[in-house]
Amino acid sequence: MSRSDLADAFTDDSALISYVAAGDPSADATREYVEALVEGGSDVIELGLPFSEPVAEGTTIQNAIKRALDAGMTPDAYLDLVRSLDVDVPVVCMTYYNLIYQYGTESGPEEFVEAAADAGISGFVVPDLPVDESGPLYEACREHGLDLVFIVAPTTTEERLDRMLDRTTGFVYVQGRLGTTGARDEMSDDTPAALDRLRDADVPKAVGFGISSGEQAREVVASGADGVIVGSAYVDLIAEGVENDDPTDAVAERLRDLAAELKAGATASVPEPERK
Amino acid sequence: MSRSDLADAFTDDSALISYVAAGDPSADATREYVEALVEGGSDVIELGLPFSEPVAEGTTIQNAIKRALDAGMTPDAYLDLVRSLDVDVPVVCMTYYNLIYQYGTESGPEEFVEAAADAGISGFVVPDLPVDESGPLYEACREHGLDLVFIVAPTTTEERLDRMLDRTTGFVYVQGRLGTTGARDEMSDDTPAALDRLRDADVPKAVGFGISSGEQAREVVASGADGVIVGSAYVDLIAEGVENDDPTDAVAERLRDLAAELKAGATASVPEPERK
Amino acid sequence: GKFGDYGGQYVPEVLMPAVEELVDAYERYVLDNEDGFVDDFRSRIREFGGRPTPLSHADNLSERYGFDVYLKREDLLHGGAHKLNNALGQVLLAKYMGKERIVAETGAGQHGTATAMACAYLDMPCEIYMGRTDVNRQRPNVFRMRLHDAEVNPVDVGSGTLKEAINETMRDWATNVEDTHYVIGSVVGPHPFPAMVRDFQSVISEEVREQSRERLGELPEAVIACAGGGSNTMGAFSAFVGSAALAGAPEGTQDAAPDVDLLAVEAGGSSLGVDADEGYAPNSASLSTGTEGVLHGARTKLLQTGDGQIVESHSVSAGLDYAGVGPELAHLVDEGRVEPVNVDDDAALEAFHRLSREEGIIPALESSHAVAYLEQYDGDGPVVVNLSGRGDKDLDTVVEESTARDIDGAPTMEVFEE
Amino acid sequence: GKFGDYGGQYVPEVLMPAVEELVDAYERYVLDNEDGFVDDFRSRIREFGGRPTPLSHADNLSERYGFDVYLKREDLLHGGAHKLNNALGQVLLAKYMGKERIVAETGAGQHGTATAMACAYLDMPCEIYMGRTDVNRQRPNVFRMRLHDAEVNPVDVGSGTLKEAINETMRDWATNVEDTHYVIGSVVGPHPFPAMVRDFQSVISEEVREQSRERLGELPEAVIACAGGGSNTMGAFSAFVGSAALAGAPEGTQDAAPDVDLLAVEAGGSSLGVDADEGYAPNSASLSTGTEGVLHGARTKLLQTGDGQIVESHSVSAGLDYAGVGPELAHLVDEGRVEPVNVDDDAALEAFHRLSREEGIIPALESSHAVAYLEQYDGDGPVVVNLSGRGDKDLDTVVEESTARDIDGAPTMEVFEE
């Protein structure tokens, strides 16, 4: 596949950004799952490169990462997997900084960014790399034409937000609630406020953390988001498949259905309930 | 029985002083045992009044005391037992000071000494009452004509020995070795020296702690003792009887035999081997 | 060697010369600082033991009671309790006396551990007697003693507890009296032990007086200490009574301070009194309820039957579970200088939880009795509670007993349910 | 927030504002003593914690080695280890910051216990995250935390050990960041934690310098401390390095003292190196053998695969068993100021027994590593070993491992055979 511009994914209608952990439970399964997610309507794939210490993740994704590592996923295998994907949407690499830093023969992010760009990655989300420490990765991304996506948290101050927006290309990852990743039943009350203060920012805004249903996707978009990011809800389906020893294509089918539901929610034109 | 003078027991030939714990394993058994010990040749009976904390005793007599207490032996029951004895030798009460001190309505030794004298006791051996603390008991004994027997230990200094001899009537209890009571296979090397320094003392000297055979008794007498004191060796036979549930008269028979062996040893005219 | 009618030397003759030798050594080294013994002791208990221990203001308890509560932190002494003051003092004295071997008895293992620790430090061979039952239920303390290279001799006689251990230690001492010193663990036994142990422990009240002057600007209204045998009690009281006699005390710390109330808190167990028929007292309140008698070398107050048989005492705290008490305490109670009070097992457990929860200090179950008495105290303060030891050793007992008795304020342990 | 190339703030954005707020509070309260914070801390760690801890001359070890060995007795600090210096400092700081709730992770339970203790004392609600496996194998520490009224949240994910506990605590902090402070237990994590924890622990080396002046008349030739995360290490070294920055230090105790050798003793485990295929290192020697990387908020030396996956570390001492190390230590090693050395599991066990037997002090297994290094030390002394904690918590492990490995100098435990 060839690398595409991340921001383009947001041009048509509200985007669906779908996360799975690469190698959970195998590279081949991930390939099928990613393709199913795209078939279901995903506009961006956020593909997790599993790290042994996933401090920003909730239990669901922690377990997914453990399955992937146990199955032997490595940065090189990850890049092979990316290369082998037959999808026409951008793929963002979600990982922790140490893996980026260690890759190759010299310390520092350059070698991994180059290899990722070469494999077809469009950008990075690095949850343990706040803007303050992002200089070297930002520079490497610029050099190779990749986007570096920052996460804006409910706690982010105006001053920090400004610094992030200075370096933002692609889209902004709006963390919809406090805490770590994980599917929730309800949208956080914080989401509208979080989006509100980004109203003037000239980049697409995608909301993540806790979205698991079409209805939630609809609410988030109605609050002003340009896209929704979903991860744990898919991973729950994968975990269930592993537990029940379901065939990969059955799991892929379920992922496709959920993606379709989410995409439908995200693109529904119904106004948000409060404004009725 | 009537009270007799303790020192008289030493007038004929070398005396055998035999100890059992009153009430081990019952008052009736003790009566039979005492009578058997006298039949066997005992010249003095040292009858233990069991105390819950027998700090000067070895394991054998500790266990005897526990059996006696468990069977309900009390100071009053002890005095009843003494009154009921049908023997013509003096009976010495061996006990700890707290029982003497607590008896009756007022604190102090007077009431118990009076009651003991009345019951036919000839004297006291109180292993936790050194001469330094013996004033009140000594006075009470004098008043009621009882002997207070002191224990001379291998560690006893000349100065202490003099103080003890000042208050000694009846006989001197020569502790033949360091430690606590208990049958041993061999005579302590300390015994001749212990007796030697009492050579000039004008009271009978009886050696105890560890004597269990006629041969040992013979050696002790050959070293200059006027008598031997035996306890744990008898108590071992009683304990064995309790363990095997032997009839009282069978145990009494064994006690009689052992007493006879000891008496024979104590009165043997064979000179001590070293002097041959 | 007497405290009024109490005290004395009721021991087998075989031990009397050793006791007399010890009296002589006590007078020369401890009272007169011969060869700088006391200086050496003070320096070692400071450097090795961690003295002075702090006097901590208990902010939350003070708020609860409406008067200032201070805790004398013997729980911070090396080994976790005041026991080391005495053990180090005696083992050092034995060394000065030229003794070559130490024996000691232990019940729950605290005194045995302190003695083993002092012996390792001072390079003295050490044997500890401990009842078989206690060996099996106090494994960590047995580990400790063995780690300090002490021999631990299990005593298989009788019930295999403290009483049998004392007998066996006496027996060893009586057998090896010439080169061996018996480190008695409390202010009990024949003279000079009650006076000598008190003096080694008197560093506690010396410090309380100095620290009170600095921190409170005055002496406390009362000092509260738990009393089993009474070594921490006498340690906490002696400088106020004026009976401490350890050379080299800072000026003014050893004069009698009659205005300071001294409260000895005994283990009320499940109820007071003695069941003579069963030979059992469901408490260890010998100062409050005992009668005069002779035990383990001294005349003192005892839990005994009318006949004079010593009864089995009881307390949820193994360290207070003793039928006798130090003769000097018995005397001070008769004189009215020390007030004996008591709290029951449940109140002690509640206090254990209260201090752990409110002040971040887990007290020994012994010390919890002293803490518990604050609930009844009706003065205006400031009050010093002698926190004689830490409660690490008591965790299992407390968790188990608190559940069994449904103790107020005990935390749930649901965390263990998967 | 950097130590050369090390350190930094690699944390999720959601936490960054809290981290920045903490930096501000650190600078105002800890560095500038605003509102008398440092005075308050110093007074409380003295009164509640029992500082200063003694510097004990180890008579028998000194004789063994032919040079003077001194032990800095953090084992006597309240709670039994140096951990309280930091826990008390941070909980007090959180109070000054107006935080209403404390969370902390714990592995073996030492840091959780210290934090729970400080929270009880300072009346702060407290939740501790602990892996399920650790909960089950560290019952006494769980009891302690519960007794101090801390919630203990077992973490059922993964292997149920420290790593998962850290993740869950981060998750809690990320969720409740507005009113909650996360008390990190070592000189790790994002700035200001490594600097702040070092400063709270720097009371150790402050005291060592003062006590050396008084007792030795000079500074020691070397200071030896064990290094896992490195909090006791930095506590023992910082005043000599000149990096300690806690307000109110006695004059001259914080200037760099370049002549004093600083030896960080790591857990050599069973052997050095990393088995990348198995994701396992049979040691915890990240300073000696690790490579640069980013973990838990900071750039530092790590035990990792070539890919950058963190490996499972190992040590017989749970408290040293960590794949990272404080960034300042990593820097000081690169600078040549601190020499990283290591001793293996067996040597640490032997040292545990040696100190227990020869000096009457049962060291924590962590601290036993520092003691073990004396066997290799080839200077002339005097040497100060930071005895970071006591070994009560390690008794079962040591007895079991010593038997299994047939460790030299381990006592027999025949006493338990009836």
Side-chain angles (χ1 to χ4, degrees), chain D residues 15-64:
Chain D
L15 294 174
M16 275 307 296
V19 167
E20 288 180 341
E21 184 190 352
L22 188 62
V23 170
D24 175 66
Y26 167 60
E27 290 172 355
R28 290 193 290 123
Y29 295 116
V30 180
L31 302 187
D32 296 341
N33 194 20
E34 190 173 305
D35 298 343
F37 170 81
V38 177
D39 304 327
D40 194 2
F41 167 68
R42 286 183 181 277
S43 150
R44 288 178 184 274
I45 195 66
R46 190 171 59 234
E47 185 188 314
F48 175 67
R51 302 212 73 87
T53 59
L55 187 68
S56 306
H57 187 260
D59 295 356
N60 301 317
L61 288 193
S62 297
E63 194 172 322
R64 174 184 180 90

Side-chain angles (χ1 to χ4, degrees), chain C residues 47 56-57 78 132 148 356, chain D residues 47 56-57 148 356 360 392 415:
Chain C
E47 187 188 313
S56 306
H57 187 259
H78 182 43
R132 172 68 70 188
H148 291 312
S356 302
Chain D
E47 185 188 314
S56 306
H57 187 260
H148 292 312
S356 302
D392 303 47
V415 54

Side-chain angles (χ1 to χ4, degrees), chain B residues 46 118 122 144 199 224 233:
Chain B
E46 193 186 333
D118 182 64
S122 298
H144 294 282
R199 203 167 290 276

Side-chain angles (χ1 to χ4, degrees), chain A residues 43-275:
Chain A
D43 303 289
V44 177
I45 293 298
E46 193 186 333
L47 189 61
L49 164 56
F51 177 53
S52 55
E53 316 292 317
V55 294
E57 317 297 345
T59 311
T60 305
I61 294 183
Q62 279 181 44
N63 287 335
I65 286 173
K66 187 169 188 322
R67 285 192 300 269
L69 288 172
D70 288 350
M73 182 48 61
T74 65
D76 281 327
Y78 177 90
L79 294 174
D80 287 344
L81 172 61
V82 170
R83 266 182 222 102
S84 75
L85 287 177
D86 183 20
V87 293
D88 55 2
V89 302
V91 178
V92 173
C93 173
M94 155 81 144
T95 194
Y96 288 77
Y97 191 56
N98 197 49
L99 295 189
I100 298 172
Y101 185 81
Q102 297 301 328
Y103 189 82
T105 50
E106 305 269 317
S107 290
E110 296 75 16
E111 291 182 65
F112 190 68
V113 172
E114 183 176 352
D118 182 64
I121 287 289
S122 298
F124 283 100
V125 178
V126 188
D128 68 340
L129 192 73
V131 64
D132 319 65
E133 302 285 357
S134 66
L137 181 59
Y138 177 71
E139 293 304 327
C141 284
R142 274 177 66 104
E143 188 177 326
H144 295 279
L146 270 66
D147 293 315
L148 178 54
V149 175
F150 289 104
I151 298 170
V152 176
T155 51
T156 300
T157 56
E158 287 303 314
E159 183 268 334
R160 295 188 57 78
L161 185 57
D162 289 346
R163 278 196 278 152
M164 270 185 253
L165 290 177
D166 275 355
R167 288 191 173 170
T168 293
T169 58
F171 66 95
V172 165
Y173 189 136
V174 180
Q175 180 175 336
R177 65 178 71 230
L178 294 175
T180 49
T181 58
R184 306 290 202 289
D185 290 337
E186 287 176 17
M187 186 179 80
S188 163
D189 294 342
D190 296 339
T191 308
L195 287 167
D196 207 46
R197 58 182 190 155
L198 282 161
R199 205 167 289 273
D200 298 335
D202 188 24
V203 284
K205 303 140 197 85
V207 174
F209 279 53
I211 298 168
S212 61
S213 70
E215 172 59 16
Q216 283 175 301
R218 191 194 56 72
E219 285 183 43
V220 167
V221 169
S223 297
D226 302 304
V228 297
I229 308 170
V230 177
S232 299
Y234 298 126
V235 172
D236 279 339
L237 294 175
I238 295 173
E240 193 191 312
V242 169
E243 198 160 315
N244 299 335
D245 221 0
D246 291 336
T248 304
D249 53 1
V251 176
E253 184 70 32
R254 290 173 211 147
L255 293 172
R256 183 184 304 115
D257 293 348
L258 179 56
E261 177 197 331
L262 289 158
K263 180 67 182 177
T267 54
S269 54
V270 189
E272 58 183 310
E274 297 95 308
R275 299 197 182 165

Side-chain angles (χ1 to χ4, degrees), chain B residues 123-180:
Chain B
F124 285 98
V125 179
V126 188
D128 67 341
L129 193 74
V131 63
D132 319 65
E133 302 286 358
S134 66
L137 181 59
Y138 177 72
E139 293 304 326
C141 284
R142 274 178 66 104
E143 188 177 326
H144 294 282
L146 269 65
D147 292 317
L148 178 54
V149 175
F150 290 104
I151 298 171
V152 176
T155 51
T156 300
T157 56
E158 288 303 315
E159 183 267 330
R160 295 188 58 78
L161 185 58
D162 290 345
R163 278 197 278 154
M164 271 185 252
L165 291 176
D166 276 354
R167 286 189 173 171
T168 294
T169 57
F171 66 95
V172 165
Y173 189 136
V174 179
Q175 179 175 336
R177 66 178 69 230
L178 293 174
T180 49

